[in-house]
Amino acid sequence: MPLMGIALQQRDPESVSPAPRILVGGRWRPVSYVTKCDNRRPACGTCSSLEFQCVYQDTSTDFSSFDPASLAILDRVNYAIRLIEQHPVDPPASDSPRTRHPQQLLEKNAGADLALTTSPKETTLNAEYTFQLEAQQLQANCASSRVLRWPSLRDICDPREVDRLFFNRAEARESVDRLATSTSRGIREEDVPSLIENFLENVHTKNPILDPHELRGLCRRIGEDGFQWDGPSCLILIACALGTISRRFSPEAPGLQDASRLDTHDRATSESYYTAARKRIGLLDPSIIAIQCSFLIGVYEMYSIRPLRAWHSFNRACTYFLTYLHSSSLGQPVEQSSETVKSRLYWSCLKSDCEMREEIALPPTELAKVEYSDAFPSPPGSCLKSDGQSHAEPLMALDPISERSWYYYLSEIAGRRIVNRVTAALHPLNPEEWTSTSVHHLQRIAGELDAQIVQWLENLPPSFRPGDDGPPDGLSYFLHTRYLILREQIWRPFLYLAAHSSPEDPNLPIYTQNACICLDFIVKYVQNCFIKHRHHGSWFAARNLFTKGLLLLVAAKSRNITMPSNWMAIVDTCIAGLMYWEDEAPDLHAARLTLQHIYQSVNQALSSFGGAVG
């Protein structure tokens, strides 16, 4: 099975530009004439549409330097991405004229400045073009703020209240100021080696944007020379902050009386390292190490539940990356780094930007318009020499921890692609568009996307799949929650339709049947959400609990849907999860109060009809 097909179009080789391609007004400029291929045989889709001769390179030589573990990772994920990037088939002529193919939904939501108005041949989109376009269109379509605007909830509370507090820096700062009264161990050079190892074990495995050997080398330099006002010291300081605040994965669920351990000795110490790193980041010129520092500062801010500040840091990392690319393309001297490191930074920065805008309607980074990297970053060690020739000696296989980390990292990137596709195909900004779509067409789109997610899970290594052999480790847990969230989002339109349809609607049985599928994944997600573990996605997990609680209440309020017998206990768990973190984020405190208010309102309405639906 080839790992990558390349469609070679008949152009003058000297005219091929090595610069990255940038999306402007729906067109790539400057144009690169080497296009990623869909691997169709005997001629790929791109070449067929452009009437070019299709020539496949012999990939057996391209990857001669890859070790067996790297080949296994790329082979499995390459197979998975071919599955998830298949577009659903065109609807039959008998469908309602108002139905839309997922690609048509994407083009409709793309905005006037990105409308595809060129000829059919020019509108042939490869997978990377589609991903970039989908990434730019994320506007919190699936977030709790959208659910709060649904007709059944909009009159109960102000849908803007929760997100308004997301942007309130003054209230967010109050929780951080409490740390000033805590006793901190302070910055100690003798603590650095152990904190770096904690960082590599607990944080680096999720976003492997550093070379561990180089990081340990910088750590030894700090031991010899102390902290300086430069990039390496900034990098070590923020890694130490993360090494202090992070912990091994712990599968614990909160009770209604639990609260996050905000005023801890370790939090005060981690803030000392974080503050020292922030004092240095503004002194750095755009470079690879500045991008790494900015990104990791954003990761720390997500760990400490400061999402708005984290978004600013991720955005700065993206801006540094763009500046670095521009300087390099102009022939300016820049810090040299391997393509694999730059590719990993590209994907981590872009993925983090997408994650933030999936929950809060924020402007996209310009990095979303840059097609810089391959479909996936290459594992460490799988690189060519500077002259472009492969290593003569065989490369060492990845150690088990690194191999597992890379399975997770590549699977997360593949999962990110599915998230963007689900949002583009099924979640318009105005959910009332669901009512104007043929139910059979909507069901078929949902079924095809659902099958892609199942295939994504089935193509993970067995050790990542959920099982009955004890509690999961962190990496498998995060992938499984991604799986549950995605499947709930796919069937959510039917919950909306079932909750807002009259009992006389002939399609109501279809709506309710699929709405129950959505509810089933909501229950599974909440029951398997170990909210007490502090990690990069703790704020996202809490916001997801808020969304899941709202959806349960929408379903219960409608009285059209048969509710799970334990739905009230599930809502209580959502409230407990929000309460656990609310001292650190004012928007989570507002979310908890909002959920409780709606819960009380729904219970009163149900009581007037003779009790809760069960």
Side-chain angles (χ1 to χ4, degrees), residues 384-457:
L384 301 178
K385 292 182 178 179
S386 58
D387 59 2
Q389 301 299 316
S390 61
H391 289 279
E393 67 279 1
L395 295 175
M396 295 179 62
L398 294 173
D399 63 84
I401 294 178
S402 297
E403 181 177 336
R404 188 168 178 79
S405 169
W406 271 90
Y407 270 122
Y408 169 80
Y409 186 53
L410 297 178
S411 298
E412 265 287 287
I413 293 174
R416 181 71 254 167
R417 292 167 179 264
I418 308 178
V419 174
N420 290 2
R421 179 145 302 158
V422 167
T423 302
L426 284 176
H427 289 271
L429 288 177
N430 182 5
E432 292 181 2
E433 290 189 25
W434 288 326
T435 62
S436 62
T437 303
S438 162
V439 61
H440 299 292
H441 183 54
L442 188 64
Q443 189 172 26
R444 186 174 61 192
I445 294 174
E448 290 176 350
L449 288 169
D450 194 67
Q452 292 175 13
I453 295 171
V454 172
Q455 289 173 331
W456 171 77
L457 184 73

Side-chain angles (χ1 to χ4, degrees), residues 265-282:
H265 170 81
D266 287 341
R267 268 303 298 277
T269 302
S270 68
E271 283 291 304
S272 298
Y273 286 101
Y274 163 70
T275 301
R278 288 192 71 206
K279 290 178 179 178
R280 289 163 171 79
I281 189 66

